[in-house]
Amino acid sequence: MRRTFWWLLIFALGIANAIWLRPAYAQSGCGPRERAIVFLPAQYGEHVIAWGIDETGRVLEFWRSVGGSWTVLATVGATSCIVASGAKSEQGGGMGA
């Protein structure tokens, strides 16, 4: 059950790392962190369910709503970028569990 969640998180963090290699100014969905942490709960009802810090200091967060929408947010300093999002997710018991 938890294994599926961790595989999903590892996959999402891998995608976030790959996308982050592009210059931040070329990405859409970037802006002040303060705006992101207000927008995601207000617009989608999402809250942080997991987070991690990579070796360069980037903070990667997995946000999820009760309804299943999700967002991966990458933050450096005061700037956050939405690097992946979706409409459906399950917490545990999903693929291969």
Side-chain angles (χ1 to χ4, degrees):
M1 192 166 170
R2 287 189 175 267
R3 190 173 85 199
T4 301
F5 169 75
W6 288 112
W7 279 113
L8 177 63
L9 181 61
I10 290 168
F11 177 74
L13 293 178
I15 290 173
N17 246 352
I19 292 172
W20 197 270
L21 295 176
R22 294 184 293 169
Y25 61 84
Q27 296 180 27
S28 61
C30 294
R33 174 168 172 68
E34 296 163 2
R35 191 179 320 157
I37 64 174
V38 170
F39 174 77
L40 291 173
Q43 186 71 25
Y44 299 107
E46 295 178 353
H47 63 278
V48 176
I49 62 168
W51 63 274
I53 301 174
D54 73 5
E55 66 278 355
T56 66
R58 290 179 292 219
V59 176
L60 299 166
E61 299 169 297
F62 191 83
W63 293 65
R64 184 178 185 275
S65 73
V66 173
S69 69
W70 59 272
T71 303
V72 176
L73 191 68
T75 303
V76 174
T79 302
S80 293
C81 296
I82 295 174
V83 294
S85 63
K88 301 279 184 188
S89 68
E90 289 188 28
Q91 193 164 354
M95 302 167 28

